[in-house]
mmCIF file of all heavy atoms in Angstrom:
data_model
loop_
_atom_site.group_PDB
_atom_site.id
_atom_site.type_symbol
_atom_site.label_atom_id
_atom_site.label_comp_id
_atom_site.label_asym_id
_atom_site.label_seq_id
_atom_site.Cartn_x
_atom_site.Cartn_y
_atom_site.Cartn_z
ATOM 1 N N PRO J 48 8.574 16.173 -3.598
ATOM 2 C CA PRO J 48 9.489 17.154 -2.988
ATOM 3 C C PRO J 48 9.262 17.290 -1.485
ATOM 4 O O PRO J 48 10.158 17.713 -0.757
ATOM 5 C CB PRO J 48 9.137 18.473 -3.694
ATOM 6 C CG PRO J 48 8.119 18.164 -4.735
ATOM 7 C CD PRO J 48 7.578 16.794 -4.486
ATOM 8 N N ALA J 49 8.059 16.909 -1.022
ATOM 9 C CA ALA J 49 7.727 17.098 0.393
ATOM 10 C C ALA J 49 7.941 15.832 1.233
ATOM 11 O O ALA J 49 7.600 15.817 2.419
ATOM 12 C CB ALA J 49 6.260 17.545 0.499
ATOM 13 N N ALA J 50 8.476 14.793 0.626
ATOM 14 C CA ALA J 50 8.670 13.501 1.320
ATOM 15 C C ALA J 50 7.375 13.031 1.988
ATOM 16 O O ALA J 50 7.379 12.558 3.124
ATOM 17 C CB ALA J 50 9.816 13.601 2.332
ATOM 18 N N ALA J 51 6.264 13.175 1.227
ATOM 19 C CA ALA J 51 4.959 12.834 1.795
ATOM 20 C C ALA J 51 4.524 11.404 1.475
ATOM 21 O O ALA J 51 3.486 10.943 1.954
ATOM 22 C CB ALA J 51 3.904 13.812 1.252
ATOM 23 N N VAL J 52 5.309 10.711 0.669
ATOM 24 C CA VAL J 52 4.870 9.383 0.210
ATOM 25 C C VAL J 52 5.748 8.297 0.827
ATOM 26 O O VAL J 52 6.977 8.442 0.927
ATOM 27 C CB VAL J 52 4.924 9.295 -1.343
ATOM 28 C CG1 VAL J 52 4.270 8.005 -1.826
ATOM 29 C CG2 VAL J 52 4.261 10.510 -1.984
ATOM 30 N N SER J 53 5.109 7.230 1.238
ATOM 31 C CA SER J 53 5.842 6.079 1.779
ATOM 32 C C SER J 53 5.116 4.808 1.367
ATOM 33 O O SER J 53 4.044 4.874 0.764
ATOM 34 C CB SER J 53 5.955 6.180 3.311
ATOM 35 O OG SER J 53 4.660 6.207 3.872
ATOM 36 N N VAL J 54 5.697 3.684 1.705
ATOM 37 C CA VAL J 54 5.053 2.405 1.375
ATOM 38 C C VAL J 54 4.898 1.596 2.651
ATOM 39 O O VAL J 54 5.777 1.608 3.521
ATOM 40 C CB VAL J 54 5.861 1.627 0.308
ATOM 41 C CG1 VAL J 54 7.247 1.266 0.789
ATOM 42 C CG2 VAL J 54 5.115 0.378 -0.173
ATOM 43 N N ASP J 55 3.762 0.946 2.766
ATOM 44 C CA ASP J 55 3.514 0.063 3.901
ATOM 45 C C ASP J 55 3.302 -1.333 3.318
ATOM 46 O O ASP J 55 2.216 -1.652 2.833
ATOM 47 C CB ASP J 55 2.277 0.535 4.669
ATOM 48 C CG ASP J 55 2.011 -0.327 5.888
ATOM 49 O OD1 ASP J 55 2.922 -1.072 6.287
ATOM 50 O OD2 ASP J 55 0.882 -0.268 6.426
ATOM 51 N N ASP J 56 4.383 -2.098 3.308
ATOM 52 C CA ASP J 56 4.341 -3.403 2.648
ATOM 53 C C ASP J 56 5.479 -4.230 3.240
ATOM 54 O O ASP J 56 6.613 -3.743 3.319
ATOM 55 C CB ASP J 56 4.549 -3.191 1.134
ATOM 56 C CG ASP J 56 4.439 -4.475 0.318
ATOM 57 O OD1 ASP J 56 5.051 -5.498 0.717
ATOM 58 O OD2 ASP J 56 3.783 -4.455 -0.724
ATOM 59 N N PRO J 57 5.188 -5.463 3.683
ATOM 60 C CA PRO J 57 6.261 -6.254 4.324
ATOM 61 C C PRO J 57 7.462 -6.519 3.415
ATOM 62 O O PRO J 57 8.555 -6.826 3.897
ATOM 63 C CB PRO J 57 5.560 -7.572 4.692
ATOM 64 C CG PRO J 57 4.244 -7.568 3.994
ATOM 65 C CD PRO J 57 3.900 -6.151 3.658
ATOM 66 N N ASP J 58 7.275 -6.409 2.089
ATOM 67 C CA ASP J 58 8.394 -6.651 1.165
ATOM 68 C C ASP J 58 9.350 -5.471 1.069
ATOM 69 O O ASP J 58 10.425 -5.590 0.465
ATOM 70 C CB ASP J 58 7.873 -6.929 -0.252
ATOM 71 C CG ASP J 58 7.373 -8.353 -0.392
ATOM 72 O OD1 ASP J 58 7.690 -9.175 0.484
ATOM 73 O OD2 ASP J 58 6.642 -8.630 -1.365
ATOM 74 N N TYR J 59 8.926 -4.343 1.576
ATOM 75 C CA TYR J 59 9.733 -3.129 1.377
ATOM 76 C C TYR J 59 9.983 -2.429 2.702
ATOM 77 O O TYR J 59 9.139 -2.479 3.598
ATOM 78 C CB TYR J 59 8.989 -2.148 0.453
ATOM 79 C CG TYR J 59 8.800 -2.677 -0.963
ATOM 80 C CD1 TYR J 59 7.609 -3.293 -1.338
ATOM 81 C CD2 TYR J 59 9.810 -2.549 -1.910
ATOM 82 C CE1 TYR J 59 7.420 -3.780 -2.630
ATOM 83 C CE2 TYR J 59 9.637 -3.029 -3.202
ATOM 84 C CZ TYR J 59 8.440 -3.638 -3.564
ATOM 85 O OH TYR J 59 8.272 -4.115 -4.835
ATOM 86 N N SER J 60 11.146 -1.750 2.773
ATOM 87 C CA SER J 60 11.439 -0.980 3.975
ATOM 88 C C SER J 60 11.790 0.460 3.590
ATOM 89 O O SER J 60 12.675 0.689 2.752
ATOM 90 C CB SER J 60 12.624 -1.603 4.721
ATOM 91 O OG SER J 60 13.096 -0.694 5.690
ATOM 92 N N MET J 61 11.119 1.397 4.242
ATOM 93 C CA MET J 61 11.443 2.815 4.009
ATOM 94 C C MET J 61 12.820 3.162 4.587
ATOM 95 O O MET J 61 13.397 4.192 4.245
ATOM 96 C CB MET J 61 10.372 3.720 4.627
ATOM 97 C CG MET J 61 9.068 3.796 3.845
ATOM 98 S SD MET J 61 9.274 4.415 2.142
ATOM 99 C CE MET J 61 9.632 6.152 2.445
ATOM 100 N N ASP J 62 13.344 2.278 5.445
ATOM 101 C CA ASP J 62 14.639 2.560 6.078
ATOM 102 C C ASP J 62 15.766 2.662 5.064
ATOM 103 O O ASP J 62 16.812 3.253 5.346
ATOM 104 C CB ASP J 62 14.997 1.462 7.093
ATOM 105 C CG ASP J 62 14.073 1.504 8.289
ATOM 106 O OD1 ASP J 62 13.355 2.513 8.433
ATOM 107 O OD2 ASP J 62 14.050 0.521 9.063
ATOM 108 N N GLU J 63 15.595 2.012 3.901
ATOM 109 C CA GLU J 63 16.710 2.059 2.935
ATOM 110 C C GLU J 63 16.589 3.200 1.930
ATOM 111 O O GLU J 63 17.395 3.315 1.022
ATOM 112 C CB GLU J 63 16.906 0.712 2.243
ATOM 113 C CG GLU J 63 15.756 0.232 1.411
ATOM 114 C CD GLU J 63 16.060 -1.129 0.764
ATOM 115 O OE1 GLU J 63 17.138 -1.693 0.994
ATOM 116 O OE2 GLU J 63 15.202 -1.601 0.009
ATOM 117 N N VAL J 64 15.584 4.053 2.127
ATOM 118 C CA VAL J 64 15.432 5.209 1.236
ATOM 119 C C VAL J 64 16.343 6.332 1.735
ATOM 120 O O VAL J 64 16.393 6.601 2.935
ATOM 121 C CB VAL J 64 13.959 5.688 1.243
ATOM 122 C CG1 VAL J 64 13.805 6.994 0.458
ATOM 123 C CG2 VAL J 64 13.052 4.603 0.641
#
Side-chain angles (χ1 to χ4, degrees):
V52 189
S53 60
V54 62
D55 182 16
D56 184 313
D58 281 345
Y59 295 97
S60 166
M61 284 301 289
D62 291 347
E63 63 180 2
V64 173

